[in-house]
């Protein structure tokens, strides 16, 4: 079950410039910056009530974000939904005919297990599932 929109991901060319822009827009600063080496991205997060906005910048030209910006320009990249059990959701969605981009969840930014659904099976919207990693 999808519980809520966890964050909206926005692809940007320059995290530094966009942090300034979005701070002005929201009237508040980002609360963290995090590099995710495995994805070739740097991210920053803004908290707006229960929902976060994630700005995503490519750190190398092979990153999916670099390719996205090359094709489509800057803009909304994905919508991430909070799920309780990412493995159960991945199985459910697979059996419903959705295409998962990776067969196993990956470690994403912000202490999350994440998984993406291919946009060709979701009306062109890149969907991310994320589950908070419990620190025991
Ligand atoms: Zn995300």
């Amino acid at each position: 079950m999808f519980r809520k929109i966890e964050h909206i991901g926005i692809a940007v060319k320059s995290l530094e410039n966009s942090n300034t822009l979005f701070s002005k827009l929201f009237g508040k600063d980002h609360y963290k910056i995090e590099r995710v080496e495995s994805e070739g991205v740097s991210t920053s997060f803004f908290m707006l009530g229960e929902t976060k906005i994630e700005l995503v910048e490519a750190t190398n030209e092979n990153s999916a974000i670099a390719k996205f910006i090359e094709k489509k320009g800057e803009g909304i990249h994905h919508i991430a939904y909070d799920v309780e059990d990412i493995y159960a959701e991945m199985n459910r969605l697979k059996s419903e005919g959705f295409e998962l981009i990776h067969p196993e969840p990956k470690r994403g930014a912000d202490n999350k297990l994440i998984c993406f659904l291919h946009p060709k099976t979701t009306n062109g919207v890149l969907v991310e599932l994320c589950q908070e990693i419990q620190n025991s």
Side-chain angles (χ1 to χ4, degrees):
M1 194 181 60
F2 285 27
R3 298 195 292 193
K4 63 171 188 181
I5 293 179
E6 215 282 333
H7 64 268
I8 295 172
I10 299 175
V12 302
K13 285 183 185 160
S14 158
L15 203 58
E16 199 185 333
N17 293 346
S18 297
N19 276 334
T20 306
L21 178 90
F22 280 86
S23 300
K24 270 191 216 159
L25 179 69
F26 298 146
K28 69 198 295 189
D29 272 334
H30 61 277
Y31 67 92
K32 76 155 121 183
I33 288 187
E34 193 177 339
R35 217 178 149 98
V36 185
E37 264 345 305
S38 58
E39 298 289 314
V41 297
S42 262
T43 64
S44 70
F45 285 88
F46 292 80
M47 181 69 83
L48 303 175
E50 284 229 312
T51 306
K52 298 165 190 162
I53 301 295
E54 174 189 32
L55 304 182
V56 196
E57 170 198 66
T59 54
N60 69 65
E61 59 191 21
N62 296 320
S63 136
I65 293 295
K67 288 174 188 151
F68 177 88
I69 288 179
E70 200 179 287
K71 259 202 238 164
K72 300 188 174 170
E74 294 175 294
I76 294 181
H77 178 256
H78 62 273
I79 300 183
Y81 299 89
D82 174 68
V83 299
E84 191 171 7
D85 179 346
I86 196 165
Y87 292 93
E89 279 307 299
M90 287 170 73
N91 282 332
R92 182 180 72 81
L93 294 168
K94 220 172 10 184
S95 72
E96 295 281 9
F98 293 99
E99 188 181 320
L100 307 175
I101 294 182
H102 299 285
E104 291 291 326
K106 300 208 282 183
R107 224 192 149 102
D110 204 29
N111 196 39
K112 298 280 194 293
L113 280 178
I114 64 164
C115 153
F116 286 98
L117 302 189
H118 200 289
K120 77 181 177 201
T121 57
T122 51
N123 280 176
V125 178
L126 180 59
V127 171
E128 176 183 352
L129 308 182
C130 55
Q131 178 187 346
E132 184 91 29
I133 296 169
Q134 303 296 337
N135 300 306
S136 48

